[in-house]
Amino acid sequence: MSMKAKEVMEGIGRVFKFKKGKIEPPESYLGARLRKKTLDGHDMWTMSSYDYVVAAVKNVKETLKDNPKWKMPKNAPTPMTSAYEPEMDGSSKLGREDHTYFQELIGILRWATEIGRVDILLEVSLLSQYQAAPREGHMEQALRIFAFLDTFPKLTLYYDWRTPNVDYSKLRSSREDFKAYYRDATEEMPHNTPKPRGQSVGSTAWVDASHGANKKTRKSHTGYIIFLNRAPILWHSKRQNTVEASTFGSEFIALKSCIKAITHLRFKLRMFGIPLEEGPSHVFCDNERVVTNSTMVESTLNKKHNSIAYHYTRWNVAAGVVDVSWIAGMLNLADAFTK
């Protein structure tokens, strides 16, 4: 430990009481297991929800022993039945006690997604929409998700600090083109940031939308995932609030939500004193029309509702916050969070 670091620790020690003994690296955080592991010859931190998942499944099994009405399936290969559509479920509504228990199960599952179980994010998001009036079919599918976790309890996220192996210079930058139309476009900067320290990081995002996915309301579903370097940091899956008449509209709404999350993340990183790489965050979308309208300055859009998302996206491109590029649907990581 350097002399300056010792001085800092002594200063903290005069205000707060340290535990006696050697200070060890963290092993857990809010139910997640933290470990340092090696990938491709490089050491990096990892996060696993294994302990939380095992404890949660055990708790559900114990609870179901006293409730013979419900059973957890065995060896579930998928989180939900492949042909199941929650919005079309016509089974009986749950009673008061089962209703409360369903909400508890969803709360447990939602935290599991927060600490790394991205493989059940879409299914949990779909079932979360029915917490106000769940049905028996919804309860069965929630228990199936726990059965899936029981079958596959291990999933580890690697927080890879290395920069992505992508040549961003080949991606078309539209900032200068848009500057003539959005002359006031500048990224919001915090005025009291600490001095940046450490290795700079860059952010990359994948965004997708499932148009008209809900067969009852025809509302679309948004999904995106944001990486810092090669480390997954934010993942999101949620039903859109509006009914979009076209895939183009639903994809633009999803893109707007993703860019909002990116702007918040960039602001937060600066307040933490983490240096950001020069240039914008890179967003990949698999809808060519959306990418064209986000990169071609001459494109226009007249529908007011979509126009807000349209100009919000282009304004952030002009401000240098993001650049939008096309990627094939089969390579879009956010596809798993929408369908």
Side-chain angles (χ1 to χ4, degrees), residues 97-168:
E97 290 187 4
D98 288 339
H99 185 167
T100 301
Y101 187 54
F102 176 81
Q103 292 175 328
E104 291 177 7
L105 294 180
I106 294 299
I108 295 170
L109 292 172
R110 289 180 70 172
W111 187 247
T113 65
E114 290 290 326
I115 59 175
R117 288 308 300 241
V118 294
D119 54 338
I120 61 171
L121 180 60
L122 173 60
E123 291 76 12
V124 174
S125 175
L126 293 175
L127 291 181
S128 295
Q129 301 170 21
Y130 305 96
Q131 291 187 78
R135 298 180 179 272
E136 292 181 356
H138 299 145
M139 174 70 90
E140 292 172 355
Q141 294 302 314
L143 293 174
R144 181 183 171 90
I145 296 178
F146 278 95
F148 173 79
L149 295 177
D150 190 27
T151 306
F152 306 99
K154 294 183 179 180
L155 189 144
T156 302
L157 298 183
Y158 282 73
Y159 288 90
D160 194 340
W161 49 267
R162 294 173 295 171
T163 55
N165 187 23
V166 178
D167 186 3
Y168 292 117

Side-chain angles (χ1 to χ4, degrees), residues 76-285:
T78 57
M80 280 172 48
T81 306
S82 59
Y84 181 71
E85 297 166 336
E87 68 276 14
M88 304 303 290
D89 194 307
S91 57
S92 301
K93 290 185 177 181
L94 296 178
R96 181 174 298 179
E97 290 187 4
D98 288 339
H99 185 167
T100 301
Y101 187 54
F102 176 81
Q103 292 175 328
E104 291 177 7
L105 294 180
I106 294 299
I108 295 170
L109 292 172
R110 289 180 70 172
W111 187 247
T113 65
E114 290 290 326
I115 59 175
R117 288 308 300 241
V118 294
D119 54 338
I120 61 171
L121 180 60
L122 173 60
E123 291 76 12
V124 174
S125 175
L126 293 175
L127 291 181
S128 295
Q129 301 170 21
Y130 305 96
Q131 291 187 78
R135 298 180 179 272
E136 292 181 356
H138 299 145
M139 174 70 90
E140 292 172 355
Q141 294 302 314
L143 293 174
R144 181 183 171 90
I145 296 178
F146 278 95
F148 173 79
L149 295 177
D150 190 27
T151 306
F152 306 99
K154 294 183 179 180
L155 189 144
T156 302
L157 298 183
Y158 282 73
Y159 288 90
D160 194 340
W161 49 267
R162 294 173 295 171
T163 55
N165 187 23
V166 178
D167 186 3
Y168 292 117
S169 63
K170 293 183 179 179
L171 302 180
R172 186 179 186 276
S173 176
S174 311
R175 182 180 183 185
E176 296 305 321
D177 297 339
F178 285 138
K179 266 297 183 180
Y181 288 81
Y182 305 92
R183 297 183 182 181
D184 63 334
T186 55
E187 183 175 6
E188 183 179 0
M189 297 289 185
H191 66 278
N192 56 344
T193 57
K195 181 180 178 181
R197 297 178 182 275
Q199 178 181 328
S200 62
V201 297
S203 52
T204 309
W206 284 261
V207 61
D208 192 26
S210 179
H211 178 242
N214 189 305
K215 290 189 175 180
K216 184 166 285 189
T217 64
R218 284 305 174 187
K219 290 184 177 180
S220 304
H221 206 90
T222 291
Y224 60 77
I225 183 168
I226 303 174
F227 283 70
L228 290 181
N229 289 353
R230 298 188 188 183
I233 298 296
L234 275 175
W235 41 89
H236 176 86
S237 179
K238 186 179 180 181
R239 179 185 60 189
Q240 295 182 4
N241 294 326
T242 56
V243 179
E244 296 300 324
S246 64
T247 303
F248 172 80
S250 62
E251 293 275 1
F252 238 126
I253 298 299
L255 181 58
K256 182 186 74 170
S257 298
C258 180
I259 293 176
K260 277 187 176 181
I262 290 172
T263 57
H264 296 163
L265 179 61
R266 289 168 68 95
F267 192 96
K268 184 185 295 185
L269 291 172
R270 290 189 173 102
M271 290 303 297
F272 283 159
I274 299 174
L276 300 183
E277 288 184 351
E278 291 289 332
S281 299
H282 303 282
V283 182
F284 292 98
C285 171

Side-chain angles (χ1 to χ4, degrees), residues 282-316:
H282 303 282
V283 182
F284 292 98
C285 171
D286 59 14
N287 188 289
E288 290 191 66
R289 285 187 61 206
V290 169
V291 173
T292 298
N293 278 268
S294 303
T295 56
M296 302 288 287
V297 71
E298 62 271 15
S299 65
T300 59
L301 188 65
N302 296 320
K303 188 176 179 182
K304 180 179 178 181
H305 175 63
N306 290 339
S307 181
I308 294 172
Y310 165 85
H311 285 291
Y312 179 82
T313 298
R314 290 160 66 98
W315 189 95
N316 278 279

